[in-house]
């Protein structure tokens, strides 16, 4: 097996594709169940909150509450899909299934494996977000063109949250620790990032905190597209999400190198 310290970064620009393809072929066997699982939670929230709470809330920023909620649920579905695929799928391949051990006995480096896992999770995030957007479009909330505009933002959202989840996987001793990340980080982020109600209604201190959260920037890119409105500060939102993806990926590579060297 190659020396871990020399294999923390990708060996070239394309080797990660074999890792992505391996995960895709394994996922394809249970694709229908996987897609249903990724769609169920955000779709339930969209229909339950949108048509239930929407009757009480009324209009938000000149749009119906369901229209407002769609963008938040599309972004949230991408966040959830990327996070759960990385937390449970990647951890299983590294820990219990020992798939990484076999890969590390090939010319693949640790960096190739991590990049393949990252892009695979982002692919599932894009697919999940697109699924919610298409369902919303079928219900009359959005258009096919707006769904198309969401693709880059969904992919970037997937990369950012998959990178964050890789850091968690690198330091978690077992599956049991993932619940802390879900309940203490992901769930509060949904409510602080404007997914279910406008950030402008939060206290000023929480508005500042929300501006630092990746989900807020994802929603800022996706919601206007779904509503057919022009995007504001698109460059800043893209740069922040890209920074999350790159910096956390590099941190995870360092942490994995340390973990696998033990």
């Amino acid at each position: 097996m190659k020396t871990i310290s020399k294999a923390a970064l990708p060996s070239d620009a394309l080797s990660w594709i074999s890792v992505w393809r391996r995960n895709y072929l394994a996922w394809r066997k249970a694709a229908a169940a996987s897609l249903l699982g990724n769609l169920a939670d955000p779709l339930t929230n969209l229909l339950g909150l949108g048509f239930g709470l929407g009757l009480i809330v009324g209009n938000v920023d000149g749009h119906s509450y369901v229209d407002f909620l769609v963008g938040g649920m599309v972004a949230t579905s991408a966040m959830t899909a990327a996070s759960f695929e990385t937390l449970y799928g990647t951890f299983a391949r590294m820990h219990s299934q020992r798939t990484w051990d076999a890969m590390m006995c090939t010319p693949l480096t640790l960096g190739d494996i991590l990049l393949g896992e990252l892009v695979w999770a982002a692919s599932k995030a894009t697919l999940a977000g697109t699924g919610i957007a298409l369902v919303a479009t079928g219900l009359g909330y959005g258009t096919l063109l707006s769904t198309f505009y969401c693709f880059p933002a969904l992919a970037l959202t997937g990369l950012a949250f998959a990178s964050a989840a890789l850091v968690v996987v690198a330091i978690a001793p077992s599956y049991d620790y993932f619940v802390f990340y879900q309940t203490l980080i992901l769930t509060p982020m949904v409510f602080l990032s404007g997914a279910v109600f406008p950030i402008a209604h939060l206290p000023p201190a929480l508005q500042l905190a929300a501006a630092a959260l990746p989900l807020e920037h994802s929603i800022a890119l996706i919601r206007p597209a779904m509503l057919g409105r022009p995007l504001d500060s698109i460059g800043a939102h893209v740069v922040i999400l890209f920074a999350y993806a790159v910096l956390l990926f590099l941190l995870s590579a360092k942490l994995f190198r340390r973990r696998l060297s033990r």
Side-chain angles (χ1 to χ4, degrees):
M1 183 178 295
K2 58 183 70 65
T3 303
I4 298 296
S5 61
K6 296 181 179 179
L9 295 177
S11 58
D12 55 54
L14 297 177
S15 293
W16 60 269
I17 295 176
S18 60
V19 180
W20 183 96
R21 184 174 180 273
R22 180 266 166 207
N23 291 344
Y24 165 72
L25 292 175
W27 168 82
R28 191 175 61 177
K29 300 175 183 178
S34 176
L35 286 173
L36 181 61
N38 287 332
L39 294 177
D41 187 53
L43 187 57
T44 300
N45 290 334
L46 175 62
L47 298 177
L49 292 175
F51 294 108
L53 188 59
L55 295 175
I56 302 174
V57 174
N59 290 340
V60 179
D61 296 334
H63 299 274
S64 71
Y65 183 64
V66 180
D67 282 323
F68 171 84
L69 191 62
V70 164
M73 291 301 101
V74 170
T76 299
S77 66
M79 175 192 77
T80 303
S83 299
F84 277 57
E85 171 60 29
T86 306
L87 291 175
Y88 294 96
T90 298
F91 189 83
R93 289 185 285 271
M94 177 196 69
H95 188 263
S96 55
Q97 297 175 4
R98 315 297 293 184
T99 306
W100 283 22
D101 287 351
M103 290 180 178
M104 290 293 289
C105 292
T106 72
L108 292 173
T109 66
L110 174 60
D112 295 328
I113 297 171
L114 290 176
L115 186 56
E117 295 283 0
L118 178 73
V119 179
W120 169 243
S123 300
K124 289 195 69 176
T126 304
L127 188 61
T130 301
I132 295 297
L134 289 175
V135 170
T137 298
L139 294 173
Y141 303 100
T143 64
L144 289 177
L145 186 59
S146 65
T147 301
F148 176 78
Y149 287 150
C150 290
F151 284 165
L154 288 171
L156 197 52
T157 301
L159 291 173
F161 280 98
S163 293
L166 279 176
V167 173
V168 178
V169 170
I171 61 178
S174 68
Y175 292 101
D176 298 332
Y177 288 79
F178 296 151
V179 69
F180 298 111
Y181 179 65
Q182 296 167 32
T183 57
L184 299 178
I185 303 296
L186 295 182
T187 299
M189 195 181 301
V190 172
F191 296 101
L192 290 174
S193 298
V196 294
F197 54 81
I199 293 177
H201 294 177
L202 293 173
L206 291 181
Q207 291 184 36
L208 290 175
L213 300 176
L215 184 60
E216 193 276 335
H217 297 282
S218 173
I219 293 172
L221 293 172
I222 293 172
R223 177 170 283 144
M226 295 300 297
L227 293 175
R229 298 188 327 209
L231 276 68
D232 296 326
S233 305
I234 181 173
H237 298 309
V238 169
V239 167
I240 291 173
L241 285 174
F242 186 75
Y244 266 104
V246 172
L247 295 178
L248 291 176
F249 176 77
L250 294 176
L251 175 60
S252 72
K254 180 178 180 180
L255 294 172
F256 274 114
R257 181 182 63 187
R258 183 181 304 170
R259 176 171 185 157
L260 298 180
S261 296
R262 294 172 184 171

